[in-house]
Amino acid sequence: MKTLTKVKLINWHTFSNEEFEIYKNALITGENGTGKSTILDAIQYVLTAGKCKFNKAASDIGNRTLESYIRCKTGIEGHEYARNGDVTTYIALEFYDEKTEKYQIIGTVIDLPAGGRLNRDFFQIIDCKISDVAFIEERRVLTRKEFKKALIDHQQTGIFKDTIKEGESLFGNALGVKSKYFDLVTRALAFKAIDNVYQFIVDFLLKEDFVDIQNLRDSIKHYKVLEEKLKISKKECESLEGVVSQYDTYLDTHFQMDVLECLKEKLQEKQLQAIIDNSQKKYQKINDQLNFVQQKLTQLNQDEETYQEISSFR
């Protein structure tokens, strides 16, 4: 968001060199003729790139002109203007960009020679505050040419345009707004209430676009066809979800059967091993008994032989 933070006026009606700080919102108060609409006219002159009608904030019948503001028309007989001769006027608006956290200045500089035709430039100064820029040097207001040179000398980037159309484009890009903005500003600064709210919405809020009714009807028909196809697709998806669920159940059951079969084989293996172990134990026991009997027989045979030898000696 870009926020107006300061306004500087030099040789603008009764303001010879004034700055106004603005924070968020500003309230301008004062008696009639103290310069309220003069400040608003200066702001809207820049924000509309010179397309505004002066004094609209105070009256529907604007009777002020650009020259009367620059020369400070007094209305006093014999002393019509407070400024005569060559005059240079500045209106500078300082903006702060909350996104980039940088300042920039947009404004206008106007040279009005004595008895000559005024020359005007709209300008944008990038990455600068008003306090950083020299509008006056040695108590003398710089002319357009001197101002441009001063920016170059201070290595400040200034962009200048001398037509309303180019000014609108420059300020539109600087503030990030569309072309309708320049018409909207004039209405926003007028005190007169907007009578036709509907027309205001149509003119400034709704996007201008051609509506092709037949194309819209075809799009609705196409949308309905797609809606029916979507319903069919949803049913098919639901059916497929049922098939997928059953298949998942089948896979789960098959896996469980494989596990049980594996457990069965392991159990049978353990049972067979137990039978084998038991048989080996029985075999070992019988074998031990057989060895014992054979030892007894051997012993008996030895005892018998010994007995026969003793008997023969007798």
Side-chain angles (χ1 to χ4, degrees), residues 7 9 12 15 20 28 34-45 64 69 91 93:
V7 178
L9 303 178
W12 182 258
F15 300 105
F20 306 95
I28 302 175
T34 55
K36 299 187 299 298
S37 59
T38 299
I39 297 172
L40 292 178
D41 279 346
I43 294 172
Q44 74 165 329
Y45 184 78
R64 296 180 184 177
Y69 266 130
I91 305 171
L93 308 182

Short mmCIF file of all heavy atoms in Angstrom, two decimals, residues 7 9 12 15 20 28 34-45 64 69 91 93:
data_model
loop_
_atom_site.label_atom_id
_atom_site.label_comp_id
_atom_site.label_asym_id
_atom_site.label_seq_id
_atom_site.Cartn_x
_atom_site.Cartn_y
_atom_site.Cartn_z
N VAL A 7 3.12 16.82 1.84
CA VAL A 7 2.78 17.68 0.70
C VAL A 7 3.64 18.93 0.78
O VAL A 7 3.75 19.55 1.85
CB VAL A 7 1.29 18.07 0.73
CG1 VAL A 7 0.97 19.01 -0.44
CG2 VAL A 7 0.40 16.83 0.68
N LEU A 9 4.28 22.71 -1.08
CA LEU A 9 3.77 23.72 -2.01
C LEU A 9 4.73 24.90 -2.05
O LEU A 9 5.07 25.48 -1.01
CB LEU A 9 2.38 24.21 -1.57
CG LEU A 9 1.28 23.14 -1.41
CD1 LEU A 9 -0.01 23.79 -0.93
CD2 LEU A 9 1.05 22.41 -2.72
N TRP A 12 2.28 28.52 -4.60
CA TRP A 12 0.94 28.04 -4.93
C TRP A 12 -0.06 28.87 -4.13
O TRP A 12 -0.20 28.69 -2.92
CB TRP A 12 0.80 26.56 -4.63
CG TRP A 12 -0.54 25.97 -4.99
CD1 TRP A 12 -1.57 25.68 -4.13
CD2 TRP A 12 -1.01 25.62 -6.29
NE1 TRP A 12 -2.64 25.17 -4.80
CE2 TRP A 12 -2.33 25.12 -6.15
CE3 TRP A 12 -0.46 25.68 -7.56
CZ2 TRP A 12 -3.08 24.68 -7.22
CZ3 TRP A 12 -1.22 25.24 -8.63
CH2 TRP A 12 -2.51 24.75 -8.46
N PHE A 15 0.58 30.13 -0.50
CA PHE A 15 1.66 29.34 0.08
C PHE A 15 2.95 29.56 -0.71
O PHE A 15 3.09 29.10 -1.84
CB PHE A 15 1.31 27.85 0.10
CG PHE A 15 0.07 27.54 0.89
CD1 PHE A 15 -1.12 27.22 0.24
CD2 PHE A 15 0.09 27.58 2.28
CE1 PHE A 15 -2.27 26.94 0.96
CE2 PHE A 15 -1.06 27.30 3.01
CZ PHE A 15 -2.24 26.99 2.35
N PHE A 20 3.39 20.05 4.54
CA PHE A 20 2.35 19.51 5.42
C PHE A 20 2.63 18.02 5.64
O PHE A 20 2.64 17.24 4.70
CB PHE A 20 0.96 19.70 4.80
CG PHE A 20 0.65 21.11 4.41
CD1 PHE A 20 0.86 21.55 3.10
CD2 PHE A 20 0.17 22.03 5.34
CE1 PHE A 20 0.58 22.86 2.73
CE2 PHE A 20 -0.12 23.33 4.97
CZ PHE A 20 0.09 23.76 3.67
N ILE A 28 -8.39 18.72 7.61
CA ILE A 28 -8.07 20.12 7.32
C ILE A 28 -9.23 20.98 7.78
O ILE A 28 -10.36 20.82 7.30
CB ILE A 28 -7.81 20.34 5.82
CG1 ILE A 28 -6.67 19.43 5.34
CG2 ILE A 28 -7.47 21.79 5.53
CD1 ILE A 28 -6.44 19.49 3.84
N THR A 34 -9.28 30.46 4.11
CA THR A 34 -7.97 30.26 4.75
C THR A 34 -7.08 29.30 3.96
O THR A 34 -5.92 29.11 4.33
CB THR A 34 -8.14 29.73 6.19
OG1 THR A 34 -8.94 28.54 6.16
CG2 THR A 34 -8.81 30.78 7.07
N GLY A 35 -7.61 28.66 2.92
CA GLY A 35 -6.74 27.84 2.06
C GLY A 35 -7.00 26.35 2.08
O GLY A 35 -6.19 25.58 1.58
N LYS A 36 -8.14 25.93 2.63
CA LYS A 36 -8.44 24.49 2.67
C LYS A 36 -8.56 23.92 1.25
O LYS A 36 -7.91 22.93 0.90
CB LYS A 36 -9.74 24.24 3.45
CG LYS A 36 -9.69 24.70 4.90
CD LYS A 36 -10.93 24.28 5.64
CE LYS A 36 -12.21 24.87 5.05
NZ LYS A 36 -12.22 26.34 5.10
N SER A 37 -9.42 24.53 0.44
CA SER A 37 -9.62 24.04 -0.92
C SER A 37 -8.38 24.28 -1.78
O SER A 37 -8.14 23.57 -2.76
CB SER A 37 -10.85 24.70 -1.56
OG SER A 37 -10.69 26.11 -1.60
N THR A 38 -7.55 25.27 -1.40
CA THR A 38 -6.31 25.53 -2.13
C THR A 38 -5.36 24.34 -2.01
O THR A 38 -4.72 23.92 -2.98
CB THR A 38 -5.62 26.79 -1.57
OG1 THR A 38 -6.48 27.91 -1.76
CG2 THR A 38 -4.30 27.05 -2.26
N ILE A 39 -5.29 23.77 -0.82
CA ILE A 39 -4.44 22.58 -0.59
C ILE A 39 -5.00 21.39 -1.36
O ILE A 39 -4.27 20.65 -2.03
CB ILE A 39 -4.35 22.27 0.91
CG1 ILE A 39 -3.67 23.41 1.66
CG2 ILE A 39 -3.59 20.96 1.14
CD1 ILE A 39 -3.70 23.28 3.16
N LEU A 40 -6.33 21.20 -1.27
CA LEU A 40 -6.95 20.08 -1.97
C LEU A 40 -6.80 20.21 -3.48
O LEU A 40 -6.56 19.21 -4.18
CB LEU A 40 -8.44 20.00 -1.59
CG LEU A 40 -8.76 19.60 -0.15
CD1 LEU A 40 -10.26 19.61 0.06
CD2 LEU A 40 -8.19 18.23 0.18
N ASP A 41 -6.90 21.44 -3.99
CA ASP A 41 -6.73 21.65 -5.43
C ASP A 41 -5.31 21.31 -5.87
O ASP A 41 -5.10 20.75 -6.95
CB ASP A 41 -7.05 23.10 -5.79
CG ASP A 41 -8.55 23.35 -5.94
OD1 ASP A 41 -9.29 22.35 -6.01
OD2 ASP A 41 -8.96 24.51 -5.97
N ALA A 42 -4.33 21.64 -5.02
CA ALA A 42 -2.94 21.32 -5.35
C ALA A 42 -2.75 19.80 -5.40
O ALA A 42 -2.13 19.27 -6.34
CB ALA A 42 -2.01 21.93 -4.31
N ILE A 43 -3.30 19.09 -4.41
CA ILE A 43 -3.17 17.64 -4.37
C ILE A 43 -3.84 16.99 -5.57
O ILE A 43 -3.26 16.14 -6.26
CB ILE A 43 -3.76 17.08 -3.06
CG1 ILE A 43 -2.93 17.55 -1.86
CG2 ILE A 43 -3.82 15.56 -3.10
CD1 ILE A 43 -3.54 17.21 -0.52
N GLN A 44 -5.08 17.44 -5.87
CA GLN A 44 -5.80 16.81 -6.97
C GLN A 44 -5.22 17.20 -8.32
O GLN A 44 -5.32 16.46 -9.29
CB GLN A 44 -7.29 17.12 -6.90
CG GLN A 44 -7.70 18.51 -7.30
CD GLN A 44 -9.20 18.63 -7.56
OE1 GLN A 44 -9.82 17.67 -8.01
NE2 GLN A 44 -9.76 19.79 -7.27
N TYR A 45 -4.56 18.36 -8.40
CA TYR A 45 -3.92 18.75 -9.67
C TYR A 45 -2.84 17.73 -10.04
O TYR A 45 -2.69 17.36 -11.20
CB TYR A 45 -3.31 20.14 -9.55
CG TYR A 45 -2.72 20.64 -10.86
CD1 TYR A 45 -3.55 21.13 -11.86
CD2 TYR A 45 -1.35 20.58 -11.10
CE1 TYR A 45 -3.02 21.56 -13.07
CE2 TYR A 45 -0.81 21.02 -12.30
CZ TYR A 45 -1.65 21.50 -13.29
OH TYR A 45 -1.14 21.91 -14.49
N ARG A 64 -11.35 29.47 -10.16
CA ARG A 64 -9.91 29.65 -10.08
C ARG A 64 -9.23 28.97 -11.28
O ARG A 64 -9.71 27.97 -11.80
CB ARG A 64 -9.36 29.06 -8.78
CG ARG A 64 -9.89 29.78 -7.54
CD ARG A 64 -9.33 29.18 -6.27
NE ARG A 64 -9.93 29.82 -5.09
CZ ARG A 64 -9.67 29.45 -3.84
NH1 ARG A 64 -8.83 28.46 -3.60
NH2 ARG A 64 -10.23 30.08 -2.83
N TYR A 69 -3.65 30.64 -9.39
CA TYR A 69 -3.01 29.97 -8.26
C TYR A 69 -1.52 30.29 -8.24
O TYR A 69 -0.93 30.53 -7.18
CB TYR A 69 -3.20 28.45 -8.35
CG TYR A 69 -4.41 27.95 -7.59
CD1 TYR A 69 -5.33 27.11 -8.18
CD2 TYR A 69 -4.60 28.30 -6.26
CE1 TYR A 69 -6.43 26.63 -7.49
CE2 TYR A 69 -5.69 27.83 -5.54
CZ TYR A 69 -6.61 26.99 -6.16
OH TYR A 69 -7.68 26.54 -5.45
N ILE A 91 4.43 21.61 -6.87
CA ILE A 91 3.53 20.82 -6.02
C ILE A 91 4.16 19.44 -5.94
O ILE A 91 4.30 18.76 -6.97
CB ILE A 91 2.11 20.72 -6.58
CG1 ILE A 91 1.51 22.09 -6.85
CG2 ILE A 91 1.21 19.92 -5.63
CD1 ILE A 91 0.19 22.04 -7.62
N LEU A 93 4.23 15.66 -3.89
CA LEU A 93 3.57 14.73 -2.97
C LEU A 93 4.52 13.57 -2.67
O LEU A 93 5.00 12.90 -3.58
CB LEU A 93 2.27 14.18 -3.60
CG LEU A 93 1.27 15.19 -4.15
CD1 LEU A 93 0.04 14.46 -4.69
CD2 LEU A 93 0.88 16.22 -3.10
#
